[in-house]
Amino acid sequence: MRPFGRKHLAHTATVDPASELGQAAGGREIQVNSLHHQAVRSVAPGLRQTATGDDGTVEGLESADGLIVAVPCHPEELTGALPLASHLFERLVARTAGRTPHTEG
């Protein structure tokens, strides 16, 4: 049982603003709901780290082509509460449809 619930924004992560995650966030920082006790130890070949927690934890990974965007948090739990969550899913749908995603300013 989680004392704060699945929608609790546990901490801040710094994001590469040029990354897909950064484009969805519209800035350099995001709030994340951390639900796991595990973390990425090393970044696999073909991926790059695009977000980092205050403690150095990997909070975002992406492929160079932007088709892989991985986050260890659970944005699906935050779609009604955090614009980043909705933007991330909208951009995913746009990429899979072969369209250029629209970024709101």
Side-chain angles (χ1 to χ4, degrees), residues 35-61:
L35 305 177
H36 301 288
H37 65 279
Q38 301 164 326
V40 173
R41 178 179 295 161
S42 60
V43 178
L47 297 178
R48 68 183 181 98
Q49 184 171 344
T50 57
T52 307
D54 293 338
D55 62 357
T57 301
V58 175
E59 295 288 349
L61 295 168

Side-chain angles (χ1 to χ4, degrees), residues 9-78:
L9 298 175
H11 61 90
T12 301
T14 303
V15 182
D16 173 356
S19 69
E20 188 62 34
L21 183 58
Q23 293 293 307
R28 294 183 172 273
E29 287 191 339
I30 58 173
Q31 294 290 311
V32 295
N33 56 343
S34 293
L35 305 177
H36 301 288
H37 65 279
Q38 301 164 326
V40 173
R41 178 179 295 161
S42 60
V43 178
L47 297 178
R48 68 183 181 98
Q49 184 171 344
T50 57
T52 307
D54 293 338
D55 62 357
T57 301
V58 175
E59 295 288 349
L61 295 168
E62 296 183 20
S63 60
D65 60 9
L67 294 177
I68 298 172
V69 178
V71 292
C73 64
H74 285 268
E76 74 278 6
E77 298 285 348
L78 303 170

